[in-house]
Amino acid sequence: MEMAVSFRNSFLKAPSINPNPKLPLPKQLFGLNLSSLSSFNSKTTCLKFCSRNLTKPVKCSVSQATQPATEKKSQLMRRRDIRNIAIVAHVDHGKTTLVDAMLKQSKVFRDNQFVQERVMDSNDLERERGITILSKNTSITYKDTKINIIDTPGHSDFGGEVERILNMVEGVLLVVDSVEGPMPQTRFVLKKALEFGLAVVVVVNKIDRPSARPDFVINSTFELFIELNATDEQCDFQAIYASGIKGKAGLSPDNLAEDLGPLFESIIRCIPGPHIDKDGTLQMLATNIEYDEHKGRIAIGRLHAGVLQKGLEVRVCTSEDSCRYARVSELFVYEKFSRIPAERVEAGDICAVCGIEDIQIGETIADKTSGKPLPAIKVEEPTVKMAFSINTSPFVGREGKYVTSRNLRDRLYRELERNLAMRVEDGETADTFIVSGRGTLHITILIENMRREGYEFMVGPPKVINKKVDDKLLEPYETAAVEVPQEHMGAVVELLGKRRGQMIDMREVGSEGTTFLKYKIPTRGLLGLRNAILTASRGTAILNTIFDSYGPWAGEIITRDQGSLVAFEDGSSTSYALASSQERGQMFIGPGMEVYKGQIVGIHQRPGDLSLNVCKKKAATNIRSNKEQTVVLDTPLDYSLDDCIEYIQEDELVEVTPSSIRMCKNPKFAAAKTSR
């Protein structure tokens, strides 16, 4: 099948620039400075030269980094019947929808079988939020070749999940939106893929959008490859144009096939089979962990060398000195949409291993006698931390099943077994724990899962994790990308400026009058920013962020101008009290709701907190009124868990229970103020 590729740099050779030495050499050629030919570098010049959109029959190549330098070539071979790929992209660029189409067209499901949308997002929380949180494994068969597919999260807070998954694959499908182009998370996942030396196939998705601009997207993606110091071979990527929701793909944006055939062909031709040592000693890196009520812990990973058999005695190693012995009770491979029992698995395939109860992510399952561990998985450090503590409100124990500090401690430390990017440490008191993650969403997903499991606890406001280098205080900075209609751009720019953001780029996107803003901003400035931007843009702006680097302390940032309305006493709220209270600000509660002293019941319209009696009842008199007074109450604000965590400040807490989410003032801060 003939294929086209957007870029190829092999046509440029140094001598061809000036084939006749008698003619004077031009100072510039297509914007390329040729005044110093003596320092001509063919590699870097090729990269700059190739930014033109050229087409030529594909010659897919793989970076030399995919072959470990320490191994002897004679011992290594490639499996031709397997491809291991990860689908990576920025959030909402259509990864999971594209996987849906790939599964349907490879006849994974029966013709009469009902299949819901985004079938890979099997978690309830994933379906509710419309995002992928945990990576999922599946496989399809195309022309006698098994393709193991891993669907990865697109949100930057789950970058740790993506980083470790790349250990299992030889190539990635980089999905890019046909209008937005490369976004912050696109840069992150591509950078990691290039560091691992993986082959990349670029899929320009949603090509059927009215304002699609494929040429811009391909050129922007190529420039991103160059910025990330990709090799010549990696820059020579295959470009596929697709509509995941329609299940169509093609080699040009104007000529799509009726199915995803061109995409499958590109995977087979451009992504190499796994590099294995078939006759070597057994080695498998545990990259992911799942739990089953009947089978216990299940280790998932790719077999790097040797053969793994059911019932085999193995050695589990963390390092050369730290090893223990275990036995493989059951063995599974991924076939279509489920795990299939297997008697043996050969090197190169992705499998699931049962029977090793205490296995952790990053450990190596190796040969019992001569096995050696593989390099451990490393992920980037967390940037945000939050304090978890037991529930101390008067309503404690009413709704939750697990309320003690021991329950909370066990659950948090159990999370570390599968969430490598998270850290947990003991706090100042026995009932407080400090949880660190890649961002507020990373920790919020943990809170939501614990809440659904029946836990009841309190969390403090998110704080950034600073560093001290050479006696200088450094704080994390993030790249923020905002898409906003032009009529609201002024308000958004003002907000970002107040939070110490520095503008990097500003340009128009598509034909809908949307402006794209790119900022470098302290992580502190992002706390509570999402709601503020949505309010300023009337819900039309889209904010995406990703960690950039540590930089100098940016100074004081005020993230909230208004105070809180606080309940004055315990009781049940009344319409009579709320009618006068809503004149002071916006309320969180309606009539007939139980509240307690110190609970936050609304947002004050001015700076500083204000105590209110929302339980006050109308005084009864012996004078007959001619007409009952009609009370008109505003609709209370409905804040989600994410909104509450963005809202609270240093002296406030969020009370999380299986049925309710409340905010309250921190009693410790109130006690400290009283003692002064």
Side-chain angles (χ1 to χ4, degrees):
M1 181 178 182
E2 279 298 311
M3 292 196 172
V5 69
S6 299
F7 306 99
R8 184 69 190 158
N9 49 41
S10 58
F11 69 91
L12 179 61
K13 306 293 180 187
S16 64
I17 293 174
N18 190 17
N20 190 345
K22 293 181 181 180
L23 294 176
L25 184 72
K27 290 185 178 179
Q28 286 212 338
L29 180 63
F30 299 112
L32 181 65
N33 187 4
L34 303 176
S35 56
S36 56
L37 190 60
S38 59
S39 61
F40 182 82
N41 183 326
S42 63
K43 176 181 173 181
T44 55
T45 311
C46 285
L47 293 177
K48 291 176 182 175
F49 220 80
C50 292
S51 61
R52 305 280 174 183
N53 193 4
L54 304 171
T55 57
K56 203 178 179 184
V58 67
K59 184 182 176 183
C60 300
S61 49
V62 189
S63 166
Q64 295 303 311
T66 55
Q67 180 175 312
T70 55
E71 298 279 359
K72 293 180 181 178
K73 287 187 180 179
S74 59
Q75 294 179 342
L76 296 175
M77 59 173 287
R78 286 204 184 276
R79 283 191 69 172
R80 304 294 178 191
D81 59 335
I82 284 183
R83 299 292 185 274
N84 298 319
I85 63 168
I87 300 192
V88 297
H90 185 78
V91 65
D92 202 31
H93 276 201
K95 298 181 304 300
T96 307
T97 307
L98 185 64
V99 175
D100 277 4
M102 294 172 76
L103 290 170
K104 287 174 185 174
Q105 293 190 17
S106 57
K107 302 295 182 185
V108 168
F109 308 107
R110 299 189 312 273
D111 292 338
N112 63 343
Q113 185 175 349
F114 171 74
V115 181
Q116 58 190 3
E117 285 186 13
R118 302 195 321 275
V119 68
M120 295 294 279
D121 286 347
S122 52
N123 186 303
D124 289 342
L125 208 51
E126 292 178 321
R127 304 201 68 79
E128 287 172 23
R129 292 176 177 247
I131 59 173
T132 303
I133 297 169
L134 303 170
S135 59
K136 315 287 192 316
N137 293 57
T138 186
S139 80
I140 60 176
T141 302
Y142 181 77
K143 291 187 177 178
D144 300 325
T145 302
K146 181 182 179 183
I147 303 175
N148 286 312
I149 302 172
I150 305 174
D151 183 23
T152 63
H155 201 284
S156 59
D157 285 19
F158 308 109
E161 189 91 4
V162 180
E163 282 179 76
R164 69 167 193 256
I165 289 306
L166 294 179
N167 280 283
M168 287 202 284
V169 299
E170 284 74 40
V172 296
L173 295 188
L174 181 71
V175 182
V176 187
D177 189 284
S178 64
V179 176
E180 295 178 355
M183 295 291 279
Q185 181 70 357
T186 313
R187 183 187 187 92
F188 171 79
V189 293
L190 180 59
K191 178 186 174 189
K192 293 297 174 187
L194 295 177
E195 285 175 1
F196 278 93
L198 304 177
V200 181
V201 173
V202 176
V203 181
V204 181
N205 197 23
K206 305 184 184 180
I207 198 67
D208 51 340
R209 287 182 67 177
S211 52
R213 41 183 190 162
D215 290 343
F216 165 80
V217 171
I218 286 290
N219 286 327
S220 301
T221 306
F222 183 74
E223 287 166 12
L224 184 59
F225 271 77
I226 295 174
E227 282 179 42
L228 297 174
N229 300 318
T231 63
D232 288 9
E233 291 81 6
Q234 287 170 328
C235 284
D236 186 10
F237 59 78
Q238 170 72 49
I240 295 291
Y241 304 89
S243 169
I245 200 160
K246 290 183 178 178
K248 294 182 177 181
L251 300 173
S252 70
D254 305 321
N255 186 21
L256 299 185
E258 288 302 311
D259 55 17
L260 294 174
L263 176 60
F264 290 130
E265 291 286 347
S266 301
I267 292 170
I268 301 298
R269 292 187 61 181
C270 300
I271 293 177
H275 224 169
I276 60 165
D277 185 1
K278 188 175 181 181
D279 301 322
T281 54
L282 174 66
Q283 275 185 319
M284 174 188 151
L285 187 68
T287 313
N288 207 354
I289 296 288
E290 287 185 7
Y291 185 81
D292 185 276
E293 289 183 3
H294 305 290
K295 298 179 177 63
R297 294 170 72 82
I298 303 172
I300 300 168
R302 192 190 76 188
L303 202 58
H304 286 258
V307 176
L308 188 59
Q309 293 181 333
K310 182 178 176 180
L312 189 68
E313 298 281 342
V314 294
R315 191 177 179 188
V316 183
C317 300
T318 307
S319 63
E320 289 281 0
D321 306 322
S322 176
C323 292
R324 60 191 185 281
Y325 295 98
R327 181 177 172 274
V328 176
S329 63
E330 288 187 83
L331 197 57
F332 297 90
V333 293
Y334 288 90
E335 197 167 298
K336 296 184 178 179
F337 199 59
S338 56
R339 284 197 294 256
I340 305 295
E343 290 297 321
R344 68 196 304 270
V345 177
E346 294 185 358
D349 206 351
I350 292 173
C351 62
V353 179
C354 303
I356 309 172
E357 286 300 321
D358 55 349
I359 192 162
Q360 304 286 343
I361 289 175
E363 292 186 326
T364 303
I365 298 172
D367 185 73
K368 185 179 179 182
T369 53
S370 57
K372 292 185 178 179
L374 289 161
I377 298 172
K378 294 179 181 177
V379 295
E380 291 185 2
E381 293 295 313
T383 57
V384 174
K385 62 183 179 181
M386 290 170 68
F388 284 53
S389 60
I390 60 169
N391 190 0
T392 55
S393 84
F395 296 165
V396 60
R398 288 190 183 184
E399 300 167 359
K401 185 179 177 184
Y402 307 106
V403 296
T404 66
S405 59
R406 181 178 60 82
N407 295 144
L408 185 61
R409 178 190 174 87
D410 291 348
R411 176 62 181 85
L412 290 175
Y413 279 95
R414 197 162 70 242
E415 183 69 18
L416 297 182
E417 295 176 1
R418 61 164 301 138
N419 206 330
L420 285 192
M422 196 167 272
R423 305 279 185 275
V424 177
E425 53 190 314
D426 294 342
E428 295 176 358
T429 58
D431 56 7
T432 305
F433 307 93
I434 307 300
V435 179
S436 307
R438 295 284 278 265
T440 51
L441 182 65
H442 190 199
I443 304 176
T444 304
I445 293 295
L446 168 64
I447 295 170
E448 186 66 46
N449 281 326
M450 290 174 63
R451 176 186 170 214
R452 294 178 184 214
E453 292 166 16
Y455 286 84
E456 200 174 289
F457 54 97
M458 284 184 164
V459 292
K463 300 176 184 177
V464 298
I465 299 172
N466 300 319
K467 286 183 178 179
K468 259 199 170 180
V469 179
D470 300 330
D471 292 329
K472 290 182 181 177
L473 185 62
L474 302 180
E475 67 172 324
Y477 280 75
E478 303 203 20
T479 301
V482 186
E483 287 182 51
V484 59
Q486 288 178 350
E487 60 265 29
H488 301 301
M489 190 178 72
V492 171
V493 168
E494 185 182 355
L495 264 177
L496 290 162
K498 279 183 181 177
R499 292 169 180 254
R500 309 278 179 173
Q502 301 169 350
M503 187 184 287
I504 301 171
D505 188 17
M506 181 174 74
R507 63 174 185 267
E508 287 190 14
V509 178
S511 56
E512 294 101 351
T514 303
T515 304
F516 175 81
L517 304 170
K518 191 175 180 183
Y519 275 79
K520 186 176 180 181
I521 184 170
T523 303
R524 281 184 302 136
L526 291 171
L527 303 177
L529 180 63
R530 197 175 300 275
N531 276 339
I533 281 185
L534 285 173
T535 304
S537 65
R538 299 190 178 181
T540 55
I542 300 171
L543 171 67
N544 291 294
T545 61
I546 190 165
F547 174 73
D548 182 74
S549 59
Y550 272 83
W553 180 260
E556 188 179 354
I557 297 174
I558 298 173
T559 57
R560 198 176 92 191
D561 301 326
Q562 298 166 304
S564 297
L565 299 175
V566 185
F568 185 76
E569 63 179 8
D570 300 354
S572 183
S573 60
T574 64
S575 300
Y576 176 72
L578 291 176
S580 55
S581 298
Q582 67 186 16
E583 296 173 7
R584 307 287 187 177
Q586 294 175 287
M587 306 303 293
F588 289 137
I589 62 168
M593 294 184 68
E594 282 197 83
V595 297
Y596 54 84
K597 184 179 180 181
Q599 182 178 335
I600 296 172
V601 293
I603 303 174
H604 193 199
Q605 60 192 6
R606 295 178 180 173
D609 296 336
L610 179 67
S611 293
L612 294 173
N613 187 354
V614 292
C615 305
K616 183 171 60 175
K617 296 179 181 177
K618 187 177 180 181
T621 67
N622 58 357
I623 301 171
R624 179 183 294 174
S625 58
N626 293 329
K627 185 183 177 185
E628 281 292 328
Q629 186 179 356
T630 305
V631 176
V632 180
L633 296 178
D634 296 336
T635 305
L637 294 173
D638 185 16
Y639 265 25
S640 66
L641 174 63
D642 303 69
D643 297 331
C644 291
I645 284 172
E646 281 196 355
Y647 175 80
I648 59 172
Q649 290 191 319
E650 183 69 25
D651 63 338
E652 295 167 345
L653 297 168
V654 177
E655 179 190 352
V656 181
T657 72
S659 307
S660 311
I661 296 170
R662 308 180 190 92
M663 290 179 283
C664 63
K665 304 302 286 187
N666 192 336
K668 293 178 183 176
F669 281 82
K673 284 181 183 177
T674 308
S675 62
R676 287 175 195 166

